[in-house]
Amino acid sequence: MGRAVSMRGLPRIEDHTTTSGTHLPVRHLALSYETPRLPGSQAALAEVATAALHSAAIPTWLARRLSEAARVSAQFIYGHTNAARYRLLITADDIGITVAVTDYDDLPVAGRPAWLDVTRTNILQQDGIRPGTDPLTRHTPDDGLRLHRTPDGHIRLGCHAPWYTTAGT
C-alpha cells in the first residue's frame, strides 16, 4: 500500500548524475508523479523524469531522449488542458519503457481509460483498438510522441521505446 506525500513547493533537482549504487531496476518500473497546475509545474515534471530516467539502468542516449519527450509532453499538456492536476507516468515492463504526461486522474474506481489515437488533423481514430490494449505501446520507436484522448476528453502525450531499440539518435 502506498503512502501519500505532500510538498509545499515544486521539487528542484540540481544534479542528474548517479553513482553505480543508485541505479533503478528498469525492467519492472512504475513511477507516477502528480502535480497541481501551478506556474512552473511542467518544469517539475520534466525534472522528475530526468532524474528517474538517468537513475535507471538504460543507455544514456535513451534516457536523454525519453527525458526530452517528458519535457515536451509536460509543456503540451500544461498548455492544452485546464485540469487542476496532471501526472507524469513512467512504466517499464518486459516489452519496453513508456514515458507519458496526462491530465487523466487514474483513480482505482475509474478503471483503465480507452485511449484513442489522435491524427495530425485532430481526429480520433477508433478503428483497430481492442479493449485493454494501450496504443502507446504498439508503435515503433521512430514514431516519436503520440497524442491520445479518451472519449470523455482527457489527453495524454508520450512515447514508448521497446527494449530491442539499439541505436541512439
Side-chain angles (χ1 to χ4, degrees):
M1 187 69 139
R3 294 186 195 156
V5 176
S6 65
M7 296 187 307
R8 295 187 185 271
L10 297 174
R12 175 118 178 102
I13 298 166
E14 297 293 334
D15 187 8
H16 304 300
T17 60
T18 61
T19 62
S20 59
T22 61
H23 284 288
L24 301 174
V26 75
R27 287 290 176 157
H28 296 281
L29 173 71
L31 172 98
S32 175
Y33 178 78
E34 183 177 278
T35 182
R37 182 183 182 80
L38 297 169
S41 57
Q42 71 275 23
L45 288 182
E47 291 283 330
V48 169
T50 298
L53 291 165
H54 283 279
S55 295
I58 60 176
T60 303
W61 67 265
L62 183 57
R64 284 186 193 131
R65 178 175 163 245
L66 294 172
S67 294
E68 180 65 9
R71 184 189 66 75
V72 170
S73 297
Q75 289 177 345
F76 180 88
I77 299 298
Y78 184 82
H80 286 84
T81 184
N82 291 324
R85 307 179 78 72
Y86 58 110
R87 298 183 317 134
L88 165 71
L89 304 169
I90 300 176
T91 55
D93 55 21
D94 291 330
I95 298 168
I97 186 165
T98 305
V99 174
V101 178
T102 183
D103 67 348
Y104 181 74
D105 186 12
D106 192 17
L107 297 175
V109 294
R112 287 188 172 172
W115 291 111
L116 304 173
D117 280 314
V118 179
T119 66
R120 294 185 190 273
T121 57
N122 204 26
I123 297 172
L124 286 178
Q125 287 187 315
Q126 299 182 24
D127 57 326
I129 303 296
R130 294 177 181 232
T133 302
D134 188 346
L136 187 58
T137 61
R138 292 186 312 145
H139 74 285
T140 60
D142 296 333
D143 285 345
L145 290 171
R146 301 282 298 263
L147 179 63
H148 299 104
R149 290 190 191 274
T150 62
D152 59 350
H154 293 286
I155 60 175
R156 174 183 74 178
L157 185 63
C159 68
H160 174 77
W163 291 127
Y164 60 80
T165 303
T166 58
T169 54

